[in-house]
Amino acid sequence: MMAPLTEQDRVVIIGAGHAGGRAAERLRAHGFAGGITLVGKEDVAPYERPPLSKSVLLRSGSEADTYLQDLAWYAGNRVTLRLGQLVTRIDRDARKVFLLDGETLPYSRLIIATGGRLRDLPVPGADLDNVLSLKTMADAVALRARLDTARRLVVIGGGFIGLEVAASARALGCEVTVVEATERLMGRAVPKEIGARVAAVHEARGTTVMLGCGVQALIGETAVNTVVLADGQRLAADLVVVGIGIAPETGLAEQAGLETAQGILVDDQCRTSDPGIFAIGDVACHRARAARPVESWQNAEQQATRVAAALMGCPAPELEPPWFWSDQGDLNLQIAGTPVHWDGAMSRGRMAEGSLLLIQMDGQQVTGTIGLNAKKDMLLMRKLLKAGCPVDADSLTDPEQPLKKTVMAALRA
């Protein structure tokens, strides 16, 4: 194990996104007085991504509202920003990072926070002018401009980003069709019944949801005007958004000889197979606890905090149960916990009455929960998940029993 950082040390962070930006903040908060350099391929300072598909598209918030810190913070805290820069190589033996412009950055410790790259749609016409995606601030600004004039939007991919874009576009008055290749929405993350309820909410707003529909081609001269489905159906479109997921950006790590699988493999301290290199955020995959990286706001926050503690020789902060949310118009969906499956999950409430909880248990212990428009209830369920204490299933699901009373009794027992 390496010694904690001193003021003579230099930390280089590759990736100036949410996780990378927070890591720089946490290092300074822990008292690190040495050099910190943040290298990012985007030309903007670190920002949070969740608002891109909501407030940025809807113009209910500005781009500046998403920034983790303003530029003055980085200058005042001696964090050097190298924005609009690509890292071409990591030399582990020399402990140097090489940039595309020829600059070389020496490091004492290296943090890789390169996130993920968008999966391409492998069909003819995917490179036409009005086929967009949404991952970066630049993507959001470009899509926002197109939504000003678009009338018929086709969203390819029924995952979280696709559905958030669909909800925002519908609120702006677009005719929206969501095309999903599998038989349910958000299939990797939620059970079929939740996907069906979410589909019903979107359809009630006037969005068309098409399940089990692959895409064969996008047709147009310079811009798409028709989406051809695998079964031959044709959908008119003057704007297409592709949201079929991301793949962890492991290229630099692989070139450097670090161990990777579904991401860069890390331990509890976010340390890679090289003791001087750490990985956090969407690119990092825990060796024991996950089959793939965890793509969430919470994960970026937690790992940034843990890596800073590890580098400074401080005790690791307690891990919170995994938690994720997606705002799709007036629908708030939250997922907490890591159940093996959702088979036999119990429900509390009814969507017809405004909110719903789906609860998965192993014996008397809650292992996972999904909430639809149930923000207060999810706060309680997350406390229960963190405590890991037994609770009576009948009381949890009985609408006549106040959930707060049931949860607090379990926490006190």
Side-chain angles (χ1 to χ4, degrees), residues 87-333:
V87 174
T88 59
R89 184 165 65 92
I90 299 167
D91 186 332
R92 291 167 53 192
D93 293 330
R95 294 202 172 193
K96 292 180 179 179
V97 165
F98 295 82
L99 305 186
L100 184 61
D101 67 359
E103 186 177 3
T104 302
L105 303 176
Y107 67 83
S108 307
R109 305 288 190 277
L110 179 65
I111 300 173
I112 302 175
T114 46
R117 63 183 182 278
L118 292 169
R119 296 185 186 277
D120 295 327
L121 181 68
V123 303
D127 58 348
L128 289 170
D129 177 64
N130 56 342
V131 180
L132 305 182
S133 56
L134 179 57
K135 183 177 182 293
T136 67
M137 181 69 74
D139 293 338
V141 171
L143 178 55
R144 182 176 65 191
R146 297 294 184 119
L147 286 171
D148 286 341
T149 57
R151 293 186 300 114
R152 293 183 296 271
L153 167 67
V154 174
V155 176
I156 300 174
F160 298 112
I161 290 296
L163 294 174
E164 290 172 7
V165 169
S168 294
R170 191 74 192 104
L172 293 171
C174 291
E175 296 177 22
V176 180
T177 300
V178 175
V179 177
E180 166 56 41
T182 69
E183 295 297 329
R184 66 188 190 199
L185 297 179
M186 304 170 293
R188 290 193 313 172
V190 303
K192 187 174 183 178
E193 57 265 40
I194 294 295
R197 291 174 188 271
V198 171
V201 170
H202 282 270
E203 288 172 332
R205 298 188 188 127
T207 296
T208 299
V209 177
M210 304 181 69
L211 301 176
C213 296
V215 174
Q216 182 182 124
L218 307 179
I219 296 177
E221 292 292 333
T222 59
V224 170
N225 55 49
T226 305
V227 177
V228 183
L229 303 183
D231 62 3
Q233 290 187 75
R234 292 178 170 242
L235 306 177
D238 49 30
L239 180 61
V240 171
V241 173
V242 178
I244 55 175
I246 67 172
E249 190 61 82
T250 57
L252 280 173
E254 291 168 1
Q255 291 172 14
L258 299 177
E259 292 182 12
T260 63
Q262 305 269 347
I264 303 174
L265 296 178
V266 299
D267 62 13
D268 283 339
Q269 294 185 315
C270 301
R271 195 185 310 271
T272 70
S273 54
D274 183 320
I277 301 178
F278 298 72
I280 58 176
D282 292 351
V283 75
C285 181
H286 194 280
R287 293 178 180 277
R289 288 197 299 269
R292 53 189 300 276
V294 180
E295 301 160 14
S296 73
W297 178 94
Q298 182 214 34
N299 187 57
E301 291 277 322
Q302 284 201 139
Q303 290 192 334
T305 300
R306 292 181 77 79
V307 77
L311 288 172
M312 295 301 293
C314 300
E318 185 178 3
L319 280 173
E320 299 283 334
W323 169 62
F324 173 85
W325 84 89
S326 173
D327 287 316
Q328 302 169 24
D330 57 2
L331 175 68
N332 172 261
L333 181 151

